Every structure is written in C-alpha cells, then in structure tokens.
Amino acid sequence: MEERPQWGPEARGSAEGRPAPRAARTGPSLSSVLSELPSAATLRYRGPGVLPWGAAEGEEEEACRSTQTSAADAHQELPEPGPSRALPWPMQARRAHRQRLDRDRVAQGAGYTGTQWTRLIRRSKEKVREGLRSLQPWAWTLKRIGGQFGAGTESYFSLLRFLLLLNVLASVLTACMVLLPTWLEGTPPGPPAPNASSPCGSYNPGSHGLVTFTTELFNLLSGEGFLEWSPLFYGFYPARPRLAVTYLCAAFATGLLYLLLILHRSVSGLKQTLLAESEALTRYSHRVFSAWDFGLSGEVHVRLRQRLILYELQVELEEARVRRKAAVRTLGQQARLWSVRLLLNLVVLALLGAAFFGIYWATGATVKLQDKPLVQRTPVLKLVVDYLPSIFISGINFVLPPVFKLIAPLEGYTRSRQIVFILLRTVFLRLFSLLFLLFSLWNEITCGGDAETEKCKTCGYNYRELPCWETHLGQEMYKLLLFDLLTGLAVILLVQFPRKLLCGLCPGALGRFARTQEFQVPDEVLGLIYAQTVVWVGSFSCPLLPLLNTVKFLLLFYLKKITLFSTCSPASRSFRASTVNFFFPVVLLLGLAISAVPVLYSIFLIPPSKLCGPFRGQSSIWVVIPESIRELPQTAQNFLFFLGTQAFAVPLLLISSILMAYTVALANSYGRLISELKRQIQTEAQNKVFLAQRAVALSSADRTL
C-alpha cells in the first residue's frame, strides 16, 4: 500500500502509535501554509466572524463563539414557523401568521409553475432552432468541406450561402413591389417612337429592322437592343404614380433588409471573435477536452471532426509561435520591422493609386472611342470598347491581390492578421475601383457637376449622350456582373482544371512546377463581396439584377464545390475561422455603405430622365414621396411631416444618446467584472500550483526524516 503524503512531523503519531502532543509537534502549521498563498494578500476582508488565514487559534475560537452567539440571538428573535394554534400569540397575530404561510405556499407553487413554463419555452426554442438548422441548404456539404479543408474554406461557402439568401429575398421583394404593380395596372406601353422628340432630345431603345444572330448575341452581352427595353432595366417601367412609390419603397425595403441581416450575422460573428481573441476558449485544453461531439455516429463524421480539431490546433500552435518570436525581439529588430512595414505600405499605396488612375482613364477612353465610325461599324470592336472598364477592373483585380499576398508574410504578423491585411487591401482595391468607375459615370451624367453647361442646362443632365442615364448605369453594372461570371468560368475551365491534369500526368519537374493548388479564401471572399456590391449599386437602375446574381451564385456554388474537391488540396497554413466570420460581414457592411452613396445621391440630387422610367417629368426622384403623402388624410400628413421636424429629431437624439451612454457604462461595468473574475481564476491557479509544490516539498522532507 502506498504511503500517503503528510503535512509534517506533527501529523504522525509517537512511537506508541498515539498522536504527539501539540507542544512536541514541529514544522509549519496549516494556517501558516495557507497564509503564504498568493491569494492571501488579496483577502483583506472575508466577512463578519471570518478571519484571514493564519490567525491565532484563540482568535478563531473567539470568532466562532461570537458567530454562534449572533446565530442564537437571531434564532430567538425569529421563532421557527409552526402551526398557528401552537403559537402563544393573540388570535389576530395567529390569523396574520396563517395568511402569510398560505401566501408563501402559493408563491412557491407559482414559482415552480413559472420554472416549468420557462423550461418548456427554452426547450421549444431549441427545437425550433434545430429545425431551422436542419432546413438550411448544403449543411452536410459545409460540414464535409470544414472537415477536409478547414474552417476558413467552410466560412467562404457559408458566406456564399448567406449572400444567396439575401439575393433570393431581394428578388421576392422586387417581384412583389415592382413587377406585380407594373402589370396589375395594365400592360406597360412600348418604347418611344423613333421620330418622337422633346426638349430633352429623343430616346430610341431596341433594335430596328433585320437583326442578325451575332448582333443579338452582342446585345445580350452588353444589355442593349432587345434587353434595353425590358423589365431588366429602369427605362421599361411606365410613369404611374403608384408604381413610382412602390418602386422607390422597394429600393429602401431591400436596403433595410440587407442591413438588418448583415448586422445580425456580424453580431453573431463578433461573439465568436471576442471569445477567441480573449483567449478564454483558445487554450489547448479546450480543444482536447471540450471540442469533441459525443453525439457523432459513423466513421465519416468522426474523421471530419478529427480533422477540424487538427486544423484548429495547427492555427493555435502557429499563432503561438509567432507571438513567442515577437516577444523576444530587441529594440533594433522592432525598428527594422516597422521600417519594412512602412516601406511595404508605401508600395501598396503606389499600386492602388496607379490602378485607380487606370480605371479613370479607361472610362474616359470608352466614351471617346464609342463615337468613332470604325467602332460603330464593327460589332466586335464595339463590344470590346463597351467592356473596356470592366476588362480593366477585372485585370487589376486579377493581378494585384497575388502581389498583396506576397507582401503580407514579410510584415511579421500572425496568419489571421495576415488574412485581415490582405482582405483590407483587396477590399480597398475592389470597392474603390468601383467607386472610381461610378465617379467617372457621374462626371459623364452631370457634366462634371456643372449644370450650366450646354449639355446639361436644359434638363439638368447630359441628355444628348445619355437620354436615359439610369438605364446606362444599369447596363454598366450588368456588364460588370456578367464579365465577372465569365472571368470566373474561364479561370476554372482554362486554368484550374488543366493545372490539375498537368500536375497528375507530369510527375517530373513540370508537375512539381504546376503543383497541387490551394483554395485561396481571401481572393474568393473578396470576389463575392465585390459582386454583391455591384448588385447593390445597380439594383435601382436594374431591378432584376438580384435575380441574375442569385442564378450566378447558385452556379458558382456548385462550380467551386467541384473545383475544391477535384483540383484543390487542404491549405498548408490554416487560420482562425472566428476572425473571418466577423470580418466578412464587416466588409459586407462596408460594401453596403459604399453602394448606398451613389444610390442616395441619384435619388435626392440628380434629376431623373425625362424620356424613360417611372419618375419621368419629376424634378427629382424623391419628390414622389411628399406628393403621395399629401394625398393622405390630414392627421396622417401632420404625423409624417412631424417625423421630419426638429421637434422630433432633437428628443430622439437625446434619448439615443442617453441609451448609448447607459449601454457603454453597463458594458464597462461588465468588462471590469469579467477582468476581476479572470484575475481570481489566475489567483486560484497560482494557489493550486503553490499547494502542489508545498505538498511535494513536505513529502520529500518527510521521507528524508
């Protein structure tokens, strides 16, 4: 039988087997050992009657007696509840006592019933949540992708599924609020007559005369011809008061829907990111002891879960290695590292500036080349000129992200931080390239913002070159979306699959040069966000663009899935999924904010086209809302106009400020409490280590004696 460790010689008996007297005992006492604990210095006050560790025994006995005396006094003051008839009280006091007992029994029963209802509601919510989770499309596919390629690759397909849901909901809203009212009020009129004219020029959409198949194909790719006067674009919809209101309300409703759903996803991702960054759930013990799902059944599920835990441990080990390396850097190494980072960021800014200037030049060259007789006579050349901004934007989006990827490892950040910087730079490139294109179009539509020029003086916009500028803007976004889809298909069919075949058929140096490719999560994610931003910008001028994007994303999901499992290998360097789960929706919010700027500017400031669209003849698009409000009853008018006055805005701002200040104060108090609890956890851990060391030391001393 093993010998149990003892605290000291005083714990052993004498030679006769009897305990040694107190005076004969030697070594540290229990109170003295406890007084040396790291937490003893923080326990200055432990409640009435409780002394700090290490106090004298006489003081302990005195404190115990005082506590017992206080308890006895409290027992005398508050008699034990019993039957009312046994109490030596007057009849009125016994009746009040009996009523109080009855109320206590009813309250206990109500509390038990309330607990049952709370438990039932919680279980019902869990069942509903599980049912909704089971209805999510491609759930098993995402689980398989996460097990074989890591959580980062799974987050890309999860984001693709989320964007597909957004586009489906936007398409349903557009169909209910735009398409149905268009046909319910009667058949829409046809295009304007070829000889029709007005002070703002003439507008002759569509093709006239005999049209060849090649011309129809080019019209399909450019959005002109038969597509220009179709429900796809803004100019098709007639000028009807109710349709104008529903058309504008559909734009605001879809924008609000986008905002709420993305915010909900951002908040859920923020919780995971805060837990991961706070290192509360990123310890290796959590991965080893708490990450396994004991409800798994089947060898395939078990292997997928094992691979997922393996990828998470790889991320933790790699980031811990980078942090250890950063902690031992000297001052000179830190200065050299920051100098390298500054130089690399200057290179990135120079590349971005050159790209933006190229987009501005390509847009201006397109406008000039479209008037050339040679371009007008050659359909292929005209198509290339029409697609020149799209080609240039796709070219820089194809060339610069790999350059950013080569720069990021040189800056000395962790893998997750590198992913964030690559995403930020690529986001800046893609979204601001779109902004520069929109700026060029704005310069073309509004004559550079100068309404007094000859082209814009009559109608407020460049009616000679753009008689229906909304349709022209929608065509540009349509071409960007279509060219992005064609570029993705070309890369998959002409680059990725041949590369896989070359890697498998050529085992020599050529095969090693081709090597198995990895799924590049940052590039793919930014491609999704860029495509969705294009849809947000053009959905007002091209109402069916979300429907086209739904078809595109559906096709893209299956193509990327086939490409992933057939041509890609797991990433050699994984990264934490919680970071991207929060960062991706934040970038989506940035894209939504950027897309809202040109849409709101065109609604409030640019005059609508006089020859097409539901707002023709109005001074601005927003005017239809006040005009429709004036048709309501006087009470409703007063209420709605009151919402736009300072009498409503100032109290709302004050209340919002108070609520925000309260929320910030509450968050700060919770943060301090969490910090205090973390310090207590650290202190308890130090106590355990200290006690274990003391036990080992005393056991060694005991064996020596």
Side-chain angles (χ1 to χ4, degrees), residues 116 189 223 229 285 463 497 542 635:
Q116 282 186 328
W229 193 264
S285 59
Y463 66 93
F497 278 107
C542 184
T635 305

Side-chain angles (χ1 to χ4, degrees), residues 624-678:
V624 297
I625 299 298
E627 290 181 354
S628 60
I629 291 177
R630 291 189 183 93
E631 297 177 0
L632 298 175
Q634 189 63 35
T635 305
Q637 292 185 33
N638 295 336
F639 175 74
L640 292 176
F641 283 119
F642 170 74
L643 296 180
T645 60
Q646 296 180 355
F648 175 78
V650 173
L652 180 63
L653 180 62
L654 291 176
I655 294 174
S656 302
S657 302
I658 293 172
L659 291 178
M660 186 180 299
Y662 172 75
T663 305
V664 170
L666 191 63
N668 291 334
S669 64
Y670 286 159
R672 289 192 296 269
L673 179 61
I674 291 173
S675 301
E676 183 64 28
L677 292 175
K678 287 181 179 180

Side-chain angles (χ1 to χ4, degrees), residues 486-541:
L486 296 177
T487 305
L489 291 176
V491 170
I492 292 174
L493 298 177
L494 302 179
V495 177
Q496 293 182 351
F497 278 107
R499 180 179 175 181
K500 178 66 176 180
L501 294 175
L502 187 63
C503 181
L505 297 177
C506 302
L510 186 60
R512 289 193 301 270
F513 176 76
R515 73 180 182 275
T516 305
Q517 53 195 346
E518 297 180 1
F519 192 82
Q520 303 298 333
V521 177
D523 298 342
E524 301 292 343
V525 167
L526 266 299
L528 292 180
I529 296 175
Y530 168 75
Q532 188 61 47
T533 307
V534 169
V535 172
W536 287 335
V537 172
S539 58
F540 185 80
S541 302

Side-chain angles (χ1 to χ4, degrees), residues 374-390:
L374 180 61
V375 175
Q376 296 292 335
R377 291 194 304 265
T378 310
V380 178
L381 190 58
K382 184 177 184 302
L383 182 65
V384 172
V385 171
D386 290 339
Y387 270 88
L388 187 59
S390 303

